[in-house]
Amino acid sequence: MNNMNQESVMDPDLPEKRYSISRPIYSTPSFEVDGERQERLEEDSLSARLHKSCGCSSKGSLRMLKKCLPIIDWVSRYPIKEWLLSDVISGVSTGLVCSLQGLAYALLVSVAPVYGLYSAFFPILTYFLLGTSRHISVGPFPVTCLMVGSVVLSQVPSSPPVLAENVTQPNGTEEDLEVRRIMVASTMTVMVGLFQVAMGLLQVGFLVRYLSDPLVGGFTTAAALHVFVSQIKIVLSVPTGSHNGPFSIFKTLIDVFTNIHLTNVADLVAGLLTIATVMAVKEVNAKFQHKIPVPIPIEVLVTVVAVGISYAVDLDSHYGASIVRSIPRGFVAPQAPDTELFLDILGSSFSTAVVGYAVAVSVAKVYAAKHDYTIDGNQELLAFGVSNILCGFLSSFVASTALSRTAVQESTGGKSQVAGIISAVLVMVVILALGNLLEPLQKSVLAGIVIANLKGMFLQVTEVPSLWRQNRPDCYIWIATCLACVVLGLDVGLLAGLVFEMATVVIRTQFPSCSSLGNIPGSDIYRNMKDYKNIAEVPGIKIFKCNSPIYFANIDYFKERLRDTVGFDAVKVFKKRNKALKKIHKLVKKGKLKTSEDGIVSVVSLGVDNEAFESEPRDVESVDVRVDWTSDLPVSVSVPQVLIHSLVLDFSAVTFMDVVAVKSLRLVIKEFLRIGVTVYIAGCDDDLIRRMESLALFDDVVTRDLLFLSVHDAILFIKLEEASKDTPNPIIDKDNKEPLPFTEEEDLIETYDNQPRAIHELSN
């Protein structure tokens, strides 16, 4: 039995607290017997799971219907009296913002503003039926719009930059360009929707978790810079070429500065005033959000004023201002996507699908946590996928959610997606009746609205210093992703950032934190020897802890750190001991040494001449040699000192081992066993033990008896074993009495490093 009296160092003003535990010393096998371990039930086969999921019952059918159409679940419980008025107010406020942002974000896609209105209307309808978030406002998002726009410009580039003010293109060419561009945008939207639906059906929404917060922060900051540069040319109203791919942002800036002398002053003034006004009023809204019942709809007010001024002064005719010019009433007829473009836009569509979904789900989770409800990630994939497929057939572009628009919907009292439907109705009113009133609106005003809404994305730069202080690898991910997206473009940059992020994870697990543990006196607590002063190493025992899964990529590093911790290489010790034993055998047979129970006693001085060793050996039939490896040897062989008799491997932080790691661990254990060091493994989780068993870690030599419930159990067991031994010195090897635990094949494996051995096998 183990009696443990444990004290904790407490504040002197607090009463002293202690606890005492008396229980057996548990090895894993003994604990499994006492705890009556039971085998886990085998998981159902794929056919059984399919049978269960496809089984037909009234309750199952209703549950499946509610899962596929969440509106059935919540609309019947909708509290009309409590929520309806708030949703109507929120819907009207959000609808005004939706209309203007739709017009503005269409500029990012390089299509006519009216298509932005379509994109602000159609996805709300399908999300109302299929979505699980009550608060997000579905529609265009600047980052995804820019990603679609880069593909549009690559497939349908603009004409060369206009260098003279009086040079214009024929209307027919411009109209044909517009038709081709919206075809590319809508085709890509369908592809994005297909990817999202496929991921939803395959239940792989978890893949978005690989887009960490630092990666998304760096990506969206770079995207904000791309958006800013793309809108600067509209604010200045200067001609630029269509650039896409690596270094496109720098090429656009070169075009802007080359043609900056062509800046339209009217557009520049309108754009700058819009940016300043919108940003200032948004600051007021944020500062007094608890005092203002409804945020000031500054985008709407600025637009109304800008339209009135443009119409009254006739900025288009008198000052050459670039205006929206044409917003046709009504909807366009549905059209099928251009399937010939699918292969060309495959990669960009996938990255856009992932980004759009990741942003939307991140925002949805924030508001779900705030209002105490949950969302279904895979259902969200289906909702956005169906929305984008519908949008693609109706001349719209990719839908996600905009942070500012969602904030408006929630802050104005929105309780459910009824507010979204109200906002869609307002957008429909603009499409059917009010669109022509916005025709005098300057494009620089829309660009100014876009730029003003980028402030939150740019402020993410302030996270970098705190990331640097908190976690350097996360900071590196942020910076690398941001730079890659700025230089290489958003799609390739996102892929580069993801690869860099995965590389940091691999590196962190490939070089895990390993430590030598010591015991806090009078307790069962074991901690890193480097972290505490009041800590002691257990005599004759090394405790080694690895804080990472062990697999093929880090097993060599694991062995290196283990060698550093114990202070010797078990393979070299074994070889040196064998070499010394051979020489000792020769000396014994020649009569130069004689044996005793205590060790080896030299008959002749160690400084004898070489001729003495060449004399005829004595006829000795059998020689029983016991060697004390801690003392000086009578032969000129430098054998490393082994000052421990036991090694405890703390695997409490090891969650996973693969076949390479298990095979190497078995060999490592046998290496120590054949030099007289017993190895124990402590703290293994049951799942890890099952994995060890399935990967055949245990055999006749490496048995399950080396597993212990905790490090303290192993230490107490070792102390009891050492106290009960008859031999006073445990570090005494007796030659030719016990077989080595290594087989001939395993000995050959350890002779060579893994890589040279693999090359050797391939060459045979």
Side-chain angles (χ1 to χ4, degrees), residues 568-623:
F568 57 85
D569 186 335
V571 176
K572 290 182 179 179
V573 171
F574 177 73
K575 291 179 179 179
K576 289 288 186 179
R577 287 185 178 182
N578 274 349
K579 185 177 180 180
L581 282 172
K582 289 178 182 178
K583 290 190 175 185
I584 291 172
H585 267 289
K586 289 181 180 180
L587 293 178
V588 171
K589 290 181 179 180
K590 292 178 180 180
K592 305 299 182 182
L593 294 175
K594 66 178 181 179
T595 62
S596 66
E597 293 183 359
D598 296 330
I600 300 171
V601 180
S602 177
V603 178
V604 182
S605 172
L606 295 179
V608 296
D609 298 333
N610 289 336
E611 295 178 357
F613 290 96
E614 296 174 1
S615 60
E616 290 294 327
R618 296 190 315 165
D619 185 13
V620 182
E621 294 183 358
S622 63
V623 180

Side-chain angles (χ1 to χ4, degrees), residues 45 72 141 178 209 211 220 247 251 280 309 446 464 495 522 530 535 557 571 623 664 748 753-754:
S45 63
I72 297 176
F141 176 57
E178 187 62 48
R209 297 173 188 170
L211 301 179
T220 51
F247 305 102
K251 296 174 183 176
I309 293 174
L446 295 176
V464 176
L495 178 60
K530 297 179 180 180
I535 195 168
Y557 181 78
V571 176
V623 180
S664 296
L748 177 63
D753 290 332
N754 290 335

Side-chain angles (χ1 to χ4, degrees), residues 194-416:
L194 291 174
F195 274 122
Q196 290 175 334
V197 168
M199 289 191 291
L201 293 175
L202 295 174
Q203 305 284 295
V204 293
F206 66 89
L207 291 177
V208 179
R209 297 173 188 170
Y210 289 100
L211 301 179
S212 64
D213 288 345
L215 184 140
V216 173
F219 172 78
T220 51
T221 303
L225 184 59
H226 277 277
V227 172
F228 177 78
V229 171
S230 70
Q231 298 306 290
I232 280 293
K233 62 183 181 183
I234 299 176
V235 171
L236 298 174
S237 192
V238 296
T240 61
S242 298
H243 303 296
N244 188 37
F247 305 102
S248 59
I249 191 171
F250 304 106
K251 296 174 183 176
T252 302
L253 286 173
I254 291 173
D255 286 348
V256 168
F257 286 109
T258 300
N259 299 323
I260 199 168
H261 63 282
L262 301 177
T263 299
N264 186 291
V265 177
D267 285 334
L268 176 61
V269 171
L272 293 178
L273 287 175
T274 300
I275 295 172
T277 305
V278 172
M279 292 183 68
V281 176
K282 280 183 175 290
E283 282 294 320
V284 173
N285 285 339
K287 188 173 182 179
F288 299 100
Q289 58 181 339
H290 299 296
K291 298 181 179 179
I292 303 176
V294 177
I296 302 172
I298 186 59
E299 289 99 337
V300 178
L301 298 178
V302 166
T303 302
V304 171
V305 172
V307 168
I309 293 174
S310 178
Y311 180 77
V313 181
D314 196 4
L315 294 176
D316 179 27
S317 301
H318 293 107
Y319 298 97
S322 177
I323 62 174
V324 172
R325 199 174 300 278
S326 175
I327 300 181
R329 291 184 179 181
F331 298 97
V332 297
Q335 58 179 351
D338 185 357
T339 55
E340 294 181 356
L341 292 172
F342 279 2
L343 289 178
D344 295 333
I345 61 177
L346 198 65
S348 299
S349 298
F350 180 75
S351 58
T352 306
V354 172
V355 170
Y357 170 70
V359 171
V361 168
S362 298
V363 176
K365 285 183 177 179
V366 169
Y367 287 102
K370 181 178 179 180
H371 294 277
D372 193 24
Y373 65 94
T374 59
I375 63 168
D376 185 341
N378 290 305
Q379 182 63 27
E380 290 293 294
L381 269 174
L382 293 173
F384 280 104
V386 173
S387 296
N388 284 319
I389 292 174
L390 176 68
C391 288
F393 279 92
L394 296 172
S395 299
S396 306
F397 45 83
V398 175
S400 181
T401 184
L403 310 183
S404 59
R405 194 168 61 243
T406 299
V408 169
Q409 180 165 316
E410 191 267 347
S411 63
T412 52
K415 305 294 185 182
S416 70

Side-chain angles (χ1 to χ4, degrees), residues 110 119 248 279 499 761:
S110 301
S119 303
S248 59
M279 292 183 68
V499 171
E761 290 180 350

